[in-house]
Amino acid sequence: MHGRPRRAAKPEDEEASSAKAAKLRDLQAQVLQNQHSGTYTKEAIGLSFKLLEINPEAYTAWNYRKLAFQHNIKELSEPEAIKSAIDDELRVVEVALRQNPKSYGAWYHRKWLLNQKLAPVDSKREFGLLDKLLKVDARNFHGWNYRRFLARFMGVPDEEELNYTMDKISDNFSNYSAWHNRSILLSNLLIKQNKGFESKQKIFSQEFELVTQALFIGPSDQSGWFYHLWLLAQTSTPDNPQLIASWPCSGAKLSSSLVKEKVEQNTLSSIWCHSLQERTVPMVLYFNEPVKGLNQSSVKLKSDLDFGKDIHWRALSMTDSGYSSCWTTYLQIANECSSSQQYSVEVSIPCSDDIVSRSGSNYNCPVHFTFTIELISDDAQDIDLFDKPVAYFSEPLESHGNCEPIPFDLLKITGALVEEDSNWHFERLSEEIDLFRELPDDNCKFVKLTLARLLLACAAIKSCGRSPHERKRYCEEALGHFSDLIRLDPSHKQYYEDERSLVLMDKLTCDMETFVKHCSVQVQPNSIPLNHVQLCKLSLTHVGFAERLMWVQVLDLSHNSLRSIEGLEALQQLVSLNISNNHISSFTALEPLTKIMFLKVLDLSSNEIGAHSMDTTRYICSSPFSHKIEAHEAFEECQKKNINVEEYWDAILFFKPLKLGQLDIKGNAVASKENFRTLVMTLIPSLKWLNGECVN
């Protein structure tokens, strides 16, 4: 249990422990034998009780009792006999809970029994058990979880349960489980629009006042702060998912033509698109929260171009949950073209029951936009980017010719649409900021963290049709709080650094006046114009606001402190990426790059890949990186070259999908290992330059 000091074991304790372990082994062996043989006699069931009495976490014993109960209940027909059998099982659960009130198996067994619905449930007994348990430990989340189950099972109104949470919070403001249950109940009541819960503004105003009292009484207790964070999320985000950006954006004109006058005017009116050489256009839709359900019905395309019958949308997510903020499809153009022609593509996303968020909210913000694709002759000469090493990052930013970077605010579709009650949101959050500034404990980490989050919520609201200067002012103050938190709470330093990086990205990219200092259009020696963004030496540990970078073709993130590049998978236009001189420690941290089909140049030099002999981050994958079907072919291919697959499995899975022409990886410990060069050359046959040397 929490808070109990450890004490050194005495000889008699060790003897008792050994005897208990021997008894447990003997009981467990007998229960297993009875389960395998299907023996469900009274004596056999009694052995399982003895085992659970000593060890309530013996899942096999609980499963055995379920099988025994199902077997024996078939022989009973009298209601009283059935009720007696159920009561016997409930008493076993109660004995186990006296031994361990947080036994997963015991609580699950009790739920299972009630769900059999073989006899009326004694609600007085069930709620009485919970009252006794929560008096002993008011925050026992198993008990609260069972109470939610029981309230649903018995049809107890949410209003009654909400009053119960208020009683428990009044007894102790530190009851995190009561706050948590309150958030669940309020969400349900507001969705259902129950009587008295029609006004979200009224309810949340009352809740802010309630939790503020708790925070002023105990500013160092985290329970109230977590509830305040939940309230903040409900107040500062839309109720339904919204499309906030797309690529290609509305009005964009994509072309693979290198006519001189077009090259010198590489603006939104004419964007050189490398993927068009392969008659492919990656299309990206970016939502304000993870959604699922994008398909040909929910996203409608209309064009004279032939994209084939099957347009498949896939989630650009590092997990396999099916939900993602970012979705892409690759438009495969089947049209033959003998001369330069332009085609418009209309995109419509109506209100849809298919597109749904994790909370179950449907998409209800219809969007319509158009972009243009210019096709050139099929026999036009392909552009080779790799006649010599591409050095995109050696010069300071300076646009060539008359090129202007794309005005990225045109990428926005809805711009996180301003709701009718956004003024109330802003006023409510402003009041909260003023309140927390009055708290006497200036060095309380919860105060500073909440202030930073409140400021960022205000900044997000201010971005909706208002001056970006106010947004930047809020970001500046939030940056100061995160810097203080890094000093005050070093044990969570990495979290605060990541949050600070997101705020810094927001500040740098929230308006073109600021962002233009980091942007240019670079015309390469082969006359290819590329949209270039340089975000170097900013101490970034995390990449944020990727939806504002989807037009970028060359990105320089060198000389930062990046540990992850999650988010870059949204940049489907990306041709060249420099993340040298960062803190990338494994290839699994680079998995987002495997989702960028047309990435050609990658600089990973001077990171920390392979530097740690026991690098556990290789195995903390945000997705089942090693479970992909194509992995087997790559492993077999490397084994034929005598490459140690066990040592390089993450490198193999990273490099196999890439179609690079240029790779720099010097300055990483892995680069000097045996057979690593052979591995790279085997898996990337398109590679022409490795660490500045011609390899093909």
Side-chain angles (χ1 to χ4, degrees), residues 467-486:
S467 169
H469 297 291
E470 289 184 88
R471 182 185 183 108
K472 284 190 282 187
R473 178 167 58 83
Y474 286 116
C475 288
E476 284 285 358
E477 188 175 347
L479 284 171
H481 287 304
F482 283 121
S483 296
D484 291 342
L485 284 164
I486 291 170

Side-chain angles (χ1 to χ4, degrees), residues 344-358:
S344 65
V345 181
E346 296 181 26
V347 183
S348 297
I349 309 177
C351 295
S352 173
D353 291 335
D354 290 342
I355 302 176
V356 61
S357 68
R358 283 200 179 104

Side-chain angles (χ1 to χ4, degrees), residues 248 252-256 273 276 279-281 303 305 307 331 333 341-345 371-376:
K253 294 183 180 180
L254 309 184
S255 175
S256 59
C273 184
L276 272 176
R279 286 291 196 266
T280 303
V281 174
S303 178
L305 286 170
F307 297 134
L331 303 178
I333 301 171
Q341 297 181 49
Q342 293 189 5
Y343 300 87
S344 65
V345 181
F371 61 89
T372 302
I373 296 175
E374 181 185 33
L375 296 182
I376 60 173

Side-chain angles (χ1 to χ4, degrees), residues 565 568 577 579 590-596 599 602 654 658:
I565 57 167
L568 291 187
L577 175 66
I579 48 175
L590 299 169
E591 185 185 356
L593 300 185
T594 64
K595 299 178 181 294
I596 304 176
L599 184 66
L602 178 60
F654 171 65
L658 299 182

Side-chain angles (χ1 to χ4, degrees), residues 277-291:
Q277 293 189 95
E278 300 180 28
R279 286 291 196 266
T280 303
V281 174
M283 184 176 172
V284 184
L285 298 177
Y286 207 103
F287 294 82
N288 66 325
E289 62 177 309
V291 298

Side-chain angles (χ1 to χ4, degrees), residues 113-129:
L113 280 169
L114 266 61
N115 275 322
Q116 301 308 300
K117 298 180 181 179
L118 296 173
V121 175
D122 185 348
S123 60
K124 185 177 179 180
R125 173 182 180 174
E126 295 303 308
F127 282 110
L129 171 68

